Amino acid sequence: MLIMYDSNPTIYVPVPDTDNGPALRALLASGVRWIQINGEALQIDTTVSLEDDGEPANYVFIQPHPSVPYVVVDASGVGRDPADPTNPSFAAFGYEGFRVPASYLSSIVAAGAKILPVANGALYSVDDWVNVSNASTDPGVTLQPLDGPGAKYRVVAIDGNDLTIDRPAERDHPNNASVSKCKPIFGAIIEGMRFTGDVAVAIHIHDDIGGTYRNNKALDNWSGRVGTLIDNWNIGTLIDDCFTVGTTPGTGLGESTWGVAIEGGSGTRYSACGGSGCGTGLTVNYGYDVRGTGTLAFANNVNLALLTECINCFDVAPRTAGALILDVSESGGNTNSAVIGRRQATAAEQNIEDPTSVDWRSLPLGNSFATNETLLVANASGDLRQIDPFKATLTLNGSACERENILISSQSNLGGNLQLKNTLQHWAVGMLSVANWRDYVLYNSTSGQVDLRVSYDTAQVTTRGDLNIGAGQALKINNVVMLTGRGSSIADASGGGVVDVEARAAVNALLAQLRSGTLPAT
């Protein structure tokens, strides 16, 4: 099939306070394929279906005009199906695939086979595209495909009831699996949209082949169900920089279910996609050779999911944080699929002011910390408290601490006097404490190298480990990987040995407490 993108764009100026859906559909029906929207606000009250008189609008390209950074699409008028608010056909932009029932498999098809034996081959023609649905296996009830594992193939030859397909079968297909026909949409591009309002889905595309969906986001005032949904079964789709901020995470009628979801993808690629405030930030269901990089998903019920018989699917270097229930969900029915190299999403990536990542600073003796600074202390049992900054002052204590080491003045003093022995150097301090050992995060405001001293106290005897911090640099709690502190190899606390211990789990637990607001304040 030849690429048929228009050589020049058609400029469309949105009409305010009007449903612009009919005008956009009319452009598609007239054969226009490259539409630039010259206006920052686009009201859509009826779905813009990517079709032209019963045929897919192949190589449609919808984007903002170069003078417009992005287009805010208010799809509140599309809304949700009153009879079924979860109905994904209520979408701002959509394509349903023109699916029609045909026949069904007359025997099992093994992965790698190139023949589909069907009950009635006369219902097909060469070059038909077919969807084999593993979830639709009761021909007496329905021959339509159902959500679940399956694949799309092109028929290249027919011999009676045997359909030769364009490539080896991607997975096993059961006997009686429906083999329906569809009209894929080729090469669609939608980019630069910002969605607002309450609509079932912002972008919902079935049967996509070689489409690109880039920089489409549902952010402020969005209360919809799904941001970007590339639905059964797509081939070679690219999804880049698409993100959805939900309002109420969950699967209920009025909740935000998925940020970005890819169902039944084959060879699909995605990068820098995800969501927050959703049931699942990024979802891959029953994919084949679906690969993602740089996923960003935080504060969802589940941040990242590879589900339901995924084959050769990998999400590499995702960035996640603050899952309300589960960070990563991987189905036991997957084959050769995994989440690789996950790391904690930073405060900047989450666009939040993280109380644990404020800029540490020096504080002159006798001065108080600012009200927006976070200070932590612990009692003998390891219970954390957040100090009232008004109560936190730097004072001298000649007997309770060592040179260049900051200690809590006593277990009973949770009011927050931070003790500093050395009057020549000034520090700001954060502290992570577990059981009876303490980790301090210090900022070096002086020249030269200085030590981070981590104290492990037993019966007034202190064991220290040292870590150099360069002048003008800091260790922040959210960047800590390895700290020195208590460990099983300390046989005698008075021995003075240096012990390295992994602190990531403790750090993550503390960050979770801070973000959820469950850390008590003093």
Side-chain angles (χ1 to χ4, degrees):
M1 182 177 293
L2 296 176
I3 294 179
M4 299 293 291
Y5 291 114
D6 291 349
S7 57
N8 295 295
T10 296
I11 310 302
Y12 177 74
V13 179
V15 180
D17 303 317
T18 299
D19 179 12
N20 290 268
L24 292 172
R25 292 193 300 273
L27 287 176
L28 295 176
S30 70
V32 169
R33 291 295 178 268
W34 185 3
I35 302 173
Q36 288 186 342
I37 300 173
N38 191 6
E40 294 189 2
L42 177 70
Q43 180 176 325
I44 293 178
D45 298 334
T46 52
T47 298
V48 177
S49 184
L50 307 182
E51 60 182 90
D52 178 356
D53 193 22
E55 295 295 325
N58 292 325
Y59 306 107
V60 60
F61 187 3
I62 300 175
Q63 65 173 171
H65 186 270
S67 65
V68 179
Y70 52 79
V71 176
V72 178
V73 181
D74 184 351
S76 302
V78 177
R80 305 197 193 199
D81 183 348
D84 178 13
T86 69
N87 181 355
S89 66
F90 278 61
F93 295 93
Y95 181 73
E96 293 294 330
F98 292 105
R99 297 175 168 189
V100 295
S103 190
Y104 54 93
L105 294 180
S106 58
S107 64
I108 293 173
V109 172
K114 290 201 68 175
I115 301 294
L116 301 180
V118 296
N120 186 356
L123 297 175
Y124 304 90
S125 301
V126 172
D127 286 334
D128 278 348
W129 284 90
V130 297
N131 288 326
V132 182
S133 173
N134 288 12
S136 178
T137 58
D138 192 342
V141 174
T142 183
L143 289 169
Q144 288 282 14
L146 300 176
D147 282 348
K152 184 191 311 299
Y153 308 106
R154 184 172 64 87
V155 177
V156 298
I158 301 174
D159 183 6
N161 291 328
D162 288 340
L163 311 181
T164 302
I165 53 179
D166 60 330
R167 64 193 186 284
E170 295 175 345
R171 62 176 74 232
D172 296 339
H173 297 297
N175 185 35
N176 291 331
S178 67
V179 185
S180 58
K181 297 191 290 186
C182 70
K183 295 179 180 179
I185 183 167
F186 286 84
I189 301 175
I190 300 177
E191 64 182 16
M193 302 293 122
R194 299 289 187 273
F195 294 92
T196 187
D198 182 9
V199 62
V201 188
I203 298 176
H204 182 208
I205 309 294
H206 278 99
D207 298 300
D208 178 83
I209 295 182
T212 299
Y213 304 90
R214 180 186 297 115
N215 189 23
N216 299 302
K217 301 180 180 182
L219 302 173
D220 297 337
N221 302 316
W222 161 265
S223 56
R225 181 172 176 81
V226 184
T228 300
L229 171 57
I230 309 301
D231 216 338
N232 302 334
W233 285 273
N234 57 90
I235 299 175
T237 306
L238 172 64
I239 312 166
D240 176 58
D241 192 25
C242 292
F243 194 85
T244 300
V245 177
T247 50
T248 305
T251 58
L253 298 183
E255 297 176 333
S256 298
T257 303
W258 289 333
V260 173
I262 304 161
E263 296 205 295
S266 174
T268 302
R269 298 292 183 262
Y270 60 94
S271 60
C273 291
S276 66
C278 300
T280 305
L282 189 139
T283 302
V284 176
N285 275 338
Y286 33 87
Y288 178 85
D289 185 34
V290 175
R291 309 292 173 93
T293 56
T295 295
L296 176 61
F298 55 91
N300 304 285
N301 283 347
V302 177
N303 282 329
L304 172 60
L306 298 182
L307 302 176
T308 319
E309 300 181 37
C310 288
I311 300 174
N312 301 337
C313 295
F314 297 92
D315 194 304
V316 181
R319 302 158 295 169
T320 66
L324 304 179
I325 298 176
L326 186 64
D327 191 56
V328 175
S329 178
E330 299 179 75
S331 170
N334 293 344
T335 301
N336 191 35
S337 299
V339 174
I340 301 171
R342 189 204 70 82
R343 72 164 172 79
Q344 180 86 2
T346 67
E349 289 167 338
Q350 298 174 68
N351 194 29
I352 62 174
E353 183 178 350
D354 188 340
T356 64
S357 62
V358 298
D359 291 332
W360 301 107
R361 62 179 180 81
S362 62
L363 184 71
L365 283 174
N367 286 13
S368 298
F369 286 87
T371 57
N372 62 350
E373 292 183 275
T374 298
L375 307 172
L376 306 174
V377 298
N379 59 19
S381 301
D383 298 326
L384 289 170
R385 293 290 184 271
Q386 191 165 343
I387 303 171
D388 182 348
F390 283 122
K391 299 178 182 178
T393 60
L394 289 181
T395 61
L396 289 176
N397 187 320
S399 60
C401 57
E402 302 175 298
R403 184 177 182 275
E404 298 179 9
N405 198 24
I406 299 177
L407 297 176
I408 301 302
S409 60
S410 70
Q411 293 178 356
S412 61
N413 182 11
L414 296 180
N417 284 338
L418 306 180
Q419 307 300 330
L420 183 64
K421 172 66 174 178
N422 186 351
T423 61
L424 300 179
Q425 298 188 44
H426 299 152
W427 312 87
V429 60
M431 191 181 78
L432 171 66
S433 180
V434 176
N436 59 344
W437 58 276
R438 298 189 286 267
D439 295 332
Y440 299 104
V441 181
L442 308 179
Y443 174 82
N444 176 17
S445 62
T446 65
S447 60
Q449 295 287 324
V450 295
D451 293 336
L452 166 66
R453 306 222 187 257
V454 182
S455 298
Y456 174 76
D457 297 330
T458 302
Q460 305 299 318
V461 178
T462 298
T463 298
R464 296 186 319 200
D466 297 343
L467 179 65
N468 286 332
I469 307 171
Q473 298 181 5
L475 278 175
K476 297 179 183 179
I477 287 180
N478 64 320
N479 289 333
V480 170
V481 174
M482 183 74 74
L483 290 175
T484 307
R486 178 176 140 187
S488 59
S489 60
I490 298 180
D492 182 357
S494 63
V498 175
V499 180
D500 290 335
V501 284
E502 274 292 347
R504 271 194 290 260
V507 171
N508 289 340
L510 172 64
L511 294 177
Q513 283 184 286
L514 286 171
R515 291 182 182 127
S516 65
T518 58
L519 190 64
T522 298

